[in-house]
Amino acid sequence: MKKVLYIVLGILIIICGWLIHQYNYDSQTIKESVLIGDGYRSTIGEEYRAVKFFIKPDWFELDTNKRQNMHEVVTRVGNSQIVLTEIWVREEVNDVYFTFTVENKLSRKSGYFITQNLANYTGELPMPNIQLLSENEQEIALGQFAQGPEEYFSFGINHEDADEIEHGFTVVASIYFGVQYDKD
């Protein structure tokens, strides 16, 4: 009986520790608190900042119709990293579709992160801007574009432009706000 009590007590301590960790250190919780000003002072950039990164050719295949799921970190900005999560050659819409997300590893005390979504923002947002450049710095036409509602964005490159990405390409994404924060 004593042994069972110790096991149950141990499990409860682990669960309580996990809940305290989630409440105090979960990046999403910290981000939300920073953006609404709950216990944090923050400075938010007034305009979208450009984030530039390179998509390596060995990360994708152009001769398959299967969704290529992955987790390739393409760049880091402060306490954020942009991750390539999926590539899909979509025959029905005649494009190659890339999907990215932002992962934050936020400190409870202070830091800097990027976000596409601002809580309680009442100003007018400029249109996001995505520029694609070939290995020779020539602009590649952007096909479809999607953003949000979470911290993701996707774009398509038409099949007729696919030869321009065979050796990799650069993405310049002007879709993020930079947020500097400190705990009150």
Side-chain angles (χ1 to χ4, degrees), residues 18 118 165 181:
W18 180 81
L118 296 176
I165 66 171
Y181 70 95

Side-chain angles (χ1 to χ4, degrees), residues 57-108:
D58 57 328
W59 288 345
F60 59 89
E61 293 180 41
L62 296 175
D63 59 351
T64 181
N65 292 356
K66 291 183 181 179
R67 289 182 188 228
Q68 301 165 57
N69 295 310
M70 60 200 59
H71 189 271
E72 294 291 341
V73 176
V74 296
T75 192
R76 297 181 198 297
V77 179
N79 300 97
S80 302
Q81 58 187 24
I82 299 175
V83 179
L84 174 59
T85 58
E86 182 182 74
I87 300 171
W88 187 14
V89 178
R90 304 184 308 176
E91 286 188 4
E92 68 278 359
V93 289
N94 203 31
D95 73 359
V96 183
Y97 204 65
F98 295 81
T99 300
F100 302 83
T101 192
V102 171
E103 293 178 355
N104 291 310
K105 307 255 191 261
L106 302 182
S107 162
R108 194 168 63 87

Side-chain angles (χ1 to χ4, degrees), residues 151-171:
E151 295 284 350
Y152 87 89
F153 75 96
S154 300
F155 60 81
I157 298 174
N158 295 327
H159 277 285
E160 60 264 13
D161 297 322
D163 59 332
E164 295 194 41
I165 66 171
E166 285 179 342
H167 301 290
F169 63 100
T170 299
V171 177

Side-chain angles (χ1 to χ4, degrees), residues 98-170:
F98 295 81
T99 300
F100 302 83
T101 192
V102 171
E103 293 178 355
N104 291 310
K105 307 255 191 261
L106 302 182
S107 162
R108 194 168 63 87
K109 294 184 179 191
S110 66
Y112 179 85
F113 64 93
I114 56 174
T115 183
Q116 293 173 229
N117 305 306
L118 296 176
N120 299 330
Y121 184 78
T122 57
E124 193 172 311
L125 293 175
M127 286 300 294
N129 182 7
I130 300 288
Q131 183 181 25
L132 307 176
L133 302 170
S134 70
E135 68 175 332
N136 300 329
E137 298 293 312
Q138 299 299 310
E139 191 157 348
I140 302 169
L142 180 66
Q144 291 185 0
F145 174 77
Q147 184 177 3
E150 298 297 324
E151 295 284 350
Y152 87 89
F153 75 96
S154 300
F155 60 81
I157 298 174
N158 295 327
H159 277 285
E160 60 264 13
D161 297 322
D163 59 332
E164 295 194 41
I165 66 171
E166 285 179 342
H167 301 290
F169 63 100
T170 299

